[in-house]
Structures are given as C-alpha cells and as structure tokens.
C-alpha cells in the first residue's frame, strides 16, 4: 500500500509543505485555485504504485506552506523559482512536471524557462497559449465591457477575500461545483453572461445532490485549510497577470521541445472556447489532447481513474 507521507522542506526561502508517495523518477504535481495538494489525493498513490516518486506541494500562500506578504510575491517567476528550488531540495536533477489550473500555467512557463530541469510536461485544463499582444488584464477589460469576469473580479485586493471568507465552506463548495461537469452549462453562464456588478457566489446554486467526486470529508479538508489561511495567496496569483507580462517579455514566444500531454474536461470553458490544435505551434511534441466527455474543470478530482491512466501511460512512454 502506498501511503501518502507529509513533511516540510525549505524551498526558495519558504517553509513548503509536501505530500508525497512512492519512490523512483520524480513527478511534481502543482495545484490551482481554490485548491491544495489535496487536489492530487487520487494521483499520489496511483503514481507511486506505478513506480514513481510523486510529490504534491501546497504552493506558496496555500495550505501549510508559507505565504509571503506582498502581492508582488506571487508572480510567475516566483512560482517557477519555487518549482526549481523544490527539485534541489529533493536532490533531483530533473522531474516530470504536472499542473492543473494555475499550476498548468506554471508548467508551461517552467518548461520554457528551465528546459534542462523539466524533461516532460502534463497540463490539465489550461492549454498553452501564445503571448498576448497587450497585458492580459488590460485586454480583458476591453473585451468584457460591462460583463462580469472572474479574473477581473479577483484583481482588487480584499474584494473577493471578503466574499469568500464570509462563509468559507459555502464558497469552496459553490466554486468547485460551479465549474464542474455536474453543473453542465453553468460555467459558461458564470464566465460569459453576467453583468459586471454580479456578486459571484449568489449566481451559483447549491448542488442539487451530493457530488460523487467531492465527499463531505473532502470539502471539510479544503474548508478547514482556507478558514485558517484565507484566500489571499491564491487570489494574488491572478493579480500578477499584467506584471508577469511585463516581467517575462519572452515567455510563450518560442516552442517547447519536451514531450507533453494535455488533458481536459469537455465541459471546461477552456476547451469549449479554446483552440487545442493551435498548441502544436508552441508544443510540437504534444501528444493528442485527451478530452473527457462530461467532465468539467476539476478533472483530476472528477475523473481520477481516467486521469491516472493517462498520466501513467504518458510517464511510461517518456521514461
């Protein structure tokens, strides 16, 4: 039996909490928002059983990892530096890097900035995109007009924190449900069809029945951690989007040579409105994207068996 172990290591000046399982070639698993290492609870033992050392950290500002105080401490360069320093702390020269949501963005960036350290990549739910012609928040403000947008809603420090912290279990439950496959077209409505003055959580109904992939114990773990830490660490990642654009001017401008895998749910808006075939211009060694029917944004939690099988097949192919 591959039991998940926990420890804290020093990474890039932070005390970083890790959950890990198994031994063998290193696979790093980077979560998104509002998530934690716990989002990989199904993958850690499966990868360990397949012969890998699977490590899922709480990223900076999340869970039991230190949260630096300034918004500027959550830029993409900081997250990439954490990933590289984590390899060093684990005594590993290279690793396969896997990420979901914002973690997927970090995978694409780290692979480009440090190709010698990350030899293969797997991204869940967020495809690789070329560099935008203008800062992304600036472009979003023009594009969305009077419509609500999550990314813009999260920009002002304190606003989303107050909304989510008023009832943390409700906030976590509704956000995870709202973008899941169980919610059907609700995610499209939330991301494209609401007025700018929307109070986000008021637009997401309670799940009509318990979610088969998210137990009461799962929700309790997320809620307990976010009640303790607050949501600022994750939200600050959104607040660095334009800063990243200026600070990393060559990012997403040249092809990645590593073998890569992309997995997503068919009901994820990134799939509905994205051009997955266009990724090949920047990721020429991309395997055929895997899109799971009926799944939403939280793919490794909603469909763990299929995600595990795809990851293990990919890892075996690139070993």
């Amino acid at each position: 039996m591959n039991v998940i172990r926990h420890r804290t290591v020093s990474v890039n000046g932070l005390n970083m909490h890790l959950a890990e399982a198994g031994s063998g070639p290193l696979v790093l698993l980077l979560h998104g928002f509002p998530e934690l290492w716990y989002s990989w609870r199904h993958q850690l033992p499966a990868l360990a059983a397949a012969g890998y050392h699977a490590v899922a950290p709480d990223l900076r500002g999340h869970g039991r990892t230190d949260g630096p105080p300034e918004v500027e401490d959550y830029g993409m360069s900081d997250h990439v530096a954490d990933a590289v320093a984590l390899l060093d702390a684990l005594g590993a020269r290279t690793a396969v890097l896997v990420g979901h949501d914002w973690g997927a963005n970090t995978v694409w960036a780290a692979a480009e900035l440090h190709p010698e350290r990350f030899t293969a990549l797997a991204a869940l739910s967020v495809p690789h995109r070329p560099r935008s012609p203008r800062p992304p928040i600036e472009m979003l403000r023009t594009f969305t007009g009077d419509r609500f947008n999550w990314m813009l809603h999260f920009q002002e420090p304190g606003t989303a924190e107050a909304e989510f912290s008023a009832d943390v279990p409700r906030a976590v439950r509704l956000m995870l449900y709202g973008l899941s496959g169980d919610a059907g077209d609700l995610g499209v409505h939330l991301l494209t069809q609401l007025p700018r003055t929307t109070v986000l959580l008021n637009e997401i109904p309670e799940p009509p029945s318990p979610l088969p992939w998210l137990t009461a114990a799962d929700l309790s773990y997320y809620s307990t951690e976010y009640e303790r830490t607050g949501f600022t660490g994750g939200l600050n990642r959104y607040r660095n989007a334009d800063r990243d654009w200026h600070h990393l001017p060559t990012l997403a401008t040249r092809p990645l040579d590593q073998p890569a895998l992309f997995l997503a749910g068919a009901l994820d808006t990134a799939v509905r409105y994205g051009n997955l075939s266009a990724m090949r211009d920047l990721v020429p060694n991309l395997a055929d994207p895997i899109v799971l029917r009926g799944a939403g944004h939280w793919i490794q939690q909603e469909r763990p068996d299929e995600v595990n099988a795809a990851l293990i097949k990919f890892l075996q192919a690139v070993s």
Side-chain angles (χ1 to χ4, degrees):
M1 180 178 180
N2 291 291
V3 177
I4 296 174
R5 310 179 301 274
H6 296 267
R7 60 172 162 148
T8 298
V9 297
S10 179
V11 170
N12 198 23
L14 304 174
N15 293 311
M16 177 172 280
H17 166 248
L18 311 179
E20 59 187 331
S23 60
L26 179 62
V27 181
L28 294 186
L29 305 161
L30 309 181
H31 65 76
F33 177 81
E35 297 181 279
L36 302 162
W37 77 264
Y38 194 79
S39 304
W40 302 105
R41 61 195 177 278
H42 303 297
Q43 285 67 51
L44 288 166
L47 295 179
Y52 298 94
H53 179 196
V55 176
D58 281 332
L59 300 181
R60 60 170 53 211
H62 292 79
R64 286 171 267 171
T65 292
D66 290 347
E70 303 299 330
V71 172
E72 294 82 1
D73 293 327
Y74 294 84
M76 180 57 75
S77 58
D78 299 295
H79 283 272
V80 169
D82 289 350
V84 173
L86 180 52
L87 260 66
D88 294 338
L90 295 171
R93 186 177 63 85
T94 63
V96 175
L97 195 57
V98 181
H100 172 254
D101 188 77
W102 272 112
N105 284 320
T106 302
V107 164
W108 299 124
E112 184 173 340
L113 296 172
H114 296 279
E116 76 287 354
R117 304 302 298 269
F118 303 109
T119 55
L121 327 166
L124 281 61
S125 302
V126 177
H128 196 16
R129 301 182 181 92
R131 177 177 169 83
S132 60
R134 290 188 288 138
I137 300 303
E138 177 184 313
M139 290 184 64
L140 267 178
R141 294 192 194 283
T142 301
F143 174 74
T144 58
D146 291 331
R147 288 173 295 156
F148 177 85
N149 180 274
W150 287 49
M151 189 91 167
L152 298 182
H153 181 60
F154 292 164
Q155 291 304 304
E156 183 63 33
T159 301
E161 283 94 333
E163 180 181 358
F164 297 160
S165 296
D167 186 340
V168 172
R170 175 176 178 261
V172 171
R173 182 174 64 251
L174 296 186
M175 282 191 283
L176 292 180
Y177 168 63
L179 295 183
S180 73
D182 298 85
D185 290 331
L186 177 61
V188 175
H189 174 72
L190 294 173
L191 293 174
T192 64
Q193 299 172 10
L194 298 174
R196 182 185 294 176
T197 55
T198 290
V199 178
L200 175 60
L201 295 183
N202 289 349
E203 297 294 328
I204 306 176
E206 289 287 345
S209 59
L211 301 177
W213 53 274
L214 198 66
T215 67
D218 298 334
L219 282 169
S220 177
Y221 187 90
Y222 283 120
S223 299
T224 298
E225 290 295 279
Y226 276 105
E227 284 176 332
R228 182 174 54 79
T229 66
F231 293 88
T232 298
L235 292 167
N236 278 346
R237 186 68 207 87
Y238 293 83
R239 294 164 185 157
N240 277 275
D242 280 2
R243 186 176 291 107
D244 291 339
W245 190 90
H246 290 289
H247 184 63
L248 298 167
T250 65
L251 199 63
T253 62
R254 51 184 181 266
L256 306 178
D257 293 329
Q258 298 96 322
L261 175 69
F262 178 75
L263 303 97
L267 298 181
D268 196 323
T269 52
V271 172
R272 292 186 178 200
Y273 298 108
N275 182 356
L276 300 187
S277 62
M279 276 196 290
R280 292 202 181 278
D281 291 338
L282 285 175
V283 194
N285 291 315
L286 179 71
D288 290 337
I290 296 174
V291 179
L292 300 181
R293 295 179 63 182
H297 184 65
W298 318 106
I299 184 171
Q300 78 271 40
Q301 299 183 77
E302 294 181 52
R303 305 287 276 276
D305 292 342
E306 290 160 280
V307 169
N308 292 347
L311 285 175
I312 290 168
K313 182 179 179 180
F314 174 72
L315 291 169
Q316 290 172 340
V318 301
S319 293

